[in-house]
Amino acid sequence: MKNGQKSGKMLVTAVFMVAATLAAKALGLVRDSLIAASFGTGMVADAFMTASRAPTTLFDMVIGGVISASFIPIFNGVRSEQGEKEARVFMNRFVTMVLLATVVISAAGMIFPNLAVSFLAPNYTGDKYDLTVKLTSIMFPMIIFTGLAFSFVGFLQSMGEYNIPSIISLVSNAAIILYFALFGKKYGIEGLAVTMVIAWSLQVIVQIPSLVRFKYRFRLDFRFRDKNIAAALRLAGPMLISTRVQPLYTIVNSRLASGIDGAVSKLDYANRLYIILTGICSFVVTNLIFPKLAKANAENNEEEAHGLITASLRAITIVVLPLMAGIIVLSEPITKIIYMRGKTTPEDAVVIAGVLACYCIGMFALAVNEVLSKYFFSVKDSKTPMRNSILSMVFNIILAYILFGLLKTNGLALAAAGGSIFNCALNAWCLIKKNPNMLKRKDFTVIGKVAACALIMAAAVFGLFKLIYNPGGSMLSQLITCAVCAVVGVIIYGIAVYAAGVEDVRRILSRKTLKGEENE
């Protein structure tokens, strides 16, 4: 394929991923809005949030981040060194191992859901505890489908297929929205729990045609005494620790918040919105570059790997910094637009908005850390992020207990943001120490200029917001406030970036930048 065709194909793929991600995140917001409207922030909402968190948190802690992070480098290495046939053998053994682990975990969770609930929410009692246990037992099979979906995503991305993996969340969110439209009033919270399991199974089903197209045939293979499986497990060990940071934040927050009625659901609504907004940018960049990073490192193409990292960091900087500033300023009307309906009151929305603003302080660090972690994983260095994650865990736990006593739910969100910033700083320091020539002076200059432009934009939007915002206004008033502030913010940021001489996103996504030629 010619260079121009490669560049064009990459651009089309990036555009599709952005569009699919935006659509999936938009449906995610609709999904969360429907949950908030139907169940508010009371006992039922707290029970559902905790129950859904039990299987997902356990999955994240045991195998979640490991699947794609350990599978992709090993799979690409086997393809490059041993050929396609051996790579497919490794794939079947890996998927069999994941399937076996998730079935065992799911069975244990369904039999002993009370243990998970008591750990995550030690202050739940009575009807709230009983409902949480019931919902937890229903939703534990999600782990099986999540494990398979992650594994298939890793395979398809390694084969150069990004479009289908980018729509799996779109499909699952659409299924949940459809449940509310057709059956929500009839089957209530138990029906939603069942629908969650069905939605996650669709993430597997939607990938099957692409797996068939790449001639993948799954066969159970329990021969785990294989050098490639051993390599994946060796890589997975440190990764299991390094990917525990975000799940641990969730566990600590859940345990502390379980003693305050409605706090768990308010934290969860704010965190979901935060993750959705952050993921719009970081998901596309990291999922597009990681297979390319793994392939470049497998082929010892250090120049291309370094170019991908610097391009990604600059893209994240240009997009996420102004987004972070804007959301912090507009957190209240944004939250009211999404959540203030049905059983969610204006007072609930204001609390959720405060928590969201606190979470967003760590948005840039969280997005950058996604890129940094992917780099270390792509070069099969999982010990560095593991050590940094352990330090970040300790820092976050201490901060959470201190700030919760002072600021309650806002303190927990600030502690999570602080942990993200601390973890990012450690990983960035290690990256620079390991590769002192990877990031050039001009890269740091871009980050500095963008930060200054984002501050200018934030100051202008904040002044405008104070001038036109009516806290007790209608939903239309909230929408107009957000729209006007967003448009003005984009214009001011665009002018500031242009005046500062910062390259635009099209420049960063171009072949020249991705190849690292700009950093020579």
Side-chain angles (χ1 to χ4, degrees), residues 44 97 119 121 180 327 335 338-339 367 388 402 434 469 514:
V44 174
M97 182 174 62
F119 178 68
F180 277 105
I327 293 171
T335 303
I338 295 170
Y339 291 129
N388 294 341
I402 292 172
K434 184 182 181 71
Y469 181 55
L514 287 173

Side-chain angles (χ1 to χ4, degrees), residues 83-151:
E84 189 70 32
K85 183 178 179 180
E86 284 301 312
R88 300 299 179 102
V89 170
F90 165 72
M91 170 72 177
N92 276 334
R93 290 175 184 171
F94 188 92
V95 174
T96 301
M97 182 174 62
V98 169
L99 182 61
L100 179 63
T102 53
V103 167
V104 170
I105 293 171
S106 179
M110 294 176 71
I111 296 171
F112 306 108
N114 56 307
L115 297 179
V117 174
S118 296
F119 178 68
L120 286 174
N123 296 308
Y124 282 10
T125 57
D127 291 342
K128 191 173 187 177
Y129 175 82
D130 293 339
L131 179 60
T132 307
V133 168
K134 180 180 181 180
L135 297 177
T136 300
S137 180
I138 293 172
M139 286 192 278
F140 246 101
M142 289 194 307
I143 288 181
I144 300 172
F145 300 113
T146 306
L148 291 175
F150 274 45
S151 300

Side-chain angles (χ1 to χ4, degrees), residues 154-178:
F155 171 77
L156 292 178
Q157 288 180 343
S158 296
M159 301 302 290
E161 172 57 70
Y162 298 93
N163 293 337
I164 295 301
S166 67
I167 69 168
I168 61 174
S169 293
L170 186 70
V171 173
S172 58
N173 287 337
I176 296 169
I177 293 170
L178 189 63

Side-chain angles (χ1 to χ4, degrees), residues 448-482:
K449 287 181 177 180
V450 170
C453 294
L455 284 174
I456 293 170
M457 180 211 75
V461 171
F462 181 75
L464 177 63
F465 173 72
K466 286 295 184 181
L467 183 65
I468 68 173
Y469 181 55
N470 177 12
S474 64
M475 190 64 68
L476 179 60
S477 172
Q478 309 286 338
L479 284 167
I480 291 173
T481 298
C482 284

Side-chain angles (χ1 to χ4, degrees), residues 326-386:
I327 293 171
I328 290 174
V329 173
L330 301 173
S331 60
E332 187 171 321
I334 288 173
T335 303
K336 286 182 176 179
I337 290 169
I338 295 170
Y339 291 129
M340 196 180 70
R341 56 180 54 83
K343 293 185 178 181
T344 303
T345 66
E347 292 74 21
D348 292 333
V350 170
V351 174
I352 295 169
V355 176
L356 173 63
C358 293
Y359 272 127
C360 284
I361 293 173
M363 178 181 283
F364 177 66
L366 184 65
V368 169
N369 206 44
E370 281 289 310
V371 176
L372 299 180
S373 297
K374 288 294 190 290
Y375 169 75
F376 288 117
F377 294 156
S378 72
V379 296
K380 301 178 184 179
D381 174 13
S382 53
K383 292 183 179 180
T384 296
M386 176 193 72

